[in-house]
Amino acid sequence: MAQPTNLVSKYDIRGDREDLIEAITNTSPEKTPVVSSFGRATATNTYHEWQRDSLRSANKDNAAIDGDDATPSARSATSRVANYSQIFQDTIATSRRANRVKKAGRKSEQAYQVAKAYKELQRDIEAMVLSNNAAVAGNDSTASKSAGAGAMIYSNISSGSGGSTPSHTSGAATTAPTAGTNRTFTEALLKTVLSRPSPTAAKCPRWLSCRLRTSPRSPASLASPSTASKLARASKVASSAALMST
């Protein structure tokens, strides 16, 4: 079929309105489960410190003779560890006209860009916390950096051949872990890592999925506990944390 003579079609007109929805869809993930579950604390210096301690091994044969003289036991001092603060920055600049013209999906360009940058900074912090970054003290020409969990948690880890994480027993974790050779991820590796925290700490860390639930309607499945409460606490319970690097 052909169009009738002198028909004005959609393709002949000028000034037709655009069909643009009044919204902007974000296609990037913006959840930060670890950082969002953090507790709150106040640091009064850029070098934030805390103390760690541990109990001696349990002694099933700890039995004293009635009336015997008591001998003082050897006691160990606490460990004083720390981390440096890190400045996360982004700069937004928009012109007066960019904010005044009519736009779809937002009224103020400056406000929109600030809100977007806030989410991006949150993701930057999340990436730092979950990284292997070593702590950097910083100076007039070098930015300070916080150590990530990969550098602060050094016990109950599972690495491929050649992999290691230096013991963080004093000061800041200024040495990054060494990656091991890649391994095939297996169920046996997963079970080995998940089995380590409970006997070490006598409890399951809240940020690990290691508690089984069963019901008549479904097979055993991994529960979904909350994530770590804060990075400093993750270091404090390093002996009860289990990480796997491949």
Side-chain angles (χ1 to χ4, degrees), residues 109-186:
E109 187 66 22
Q110 178 73 13
Y112 171 72
Q113 294 297 338
V114 168
K116 180 180 176 181
Y118 177 74
K119 295 177 181 179
E120 293 169 340
L121 289 172
Q122 284 185 311
R123 300 205 318 168
D124 291 345
I125 297 173
E126 181 92 348
M128 179 278 293
V129 170
L130 297 176
S131 75
N132 291 331
N133 284 0
V136 178
N139 52 46
D140 289 339
S141 59
T142 303
S144 62
K145 284 187 177 182
S146 301
M152 299 182 71
I153 300 176
Y154 59 86
S155 62
N156 293 344
I157 63 172
S158 177
S159 301
S161 177
S164 65
T165 302
S167 297
H168 173 224
T169 56
S170 64
T174 56
T175 304
T178 301
T181 56
N182 290 335
R183 299 175 294 175
T184 301
F185 182 76
T186 63

Side-chain angles (χ1 to χ4, degrees), residues 67-114:
D68 193 13
D69 291 335
T71 301
S73 61
R75 312 306 296 176
S76 59
T78 59
S79 299
R80 186 168 173 170
V81 292
N83 205 352
Y84 291 101
S85 63
Q86 181 172 332
I87 300 174
F88 294 86
Q89 175 181 294
D90 203 345
T91 304
I92 307 300
T94 56
S95 70
R96 181 174 179 274
R97 286 187 175 185
N99 286 284
R100 292 296 297 271
V101 297
K102 188 176 181 180
K103 300 170 289 294
R106 72 278 196 195
K107 182 177 181 180
S108 168
E109 187 66 22
Q110 178 73 13
Y112 171 72
Q113 294 297 338
V114 168

Side-chain angles (χ1 to χ4, degrees), residues 30 42 135 182 194 199 214:
E30 58 183 83
T42 300
N182 290 335
L194 291 180
T214 58

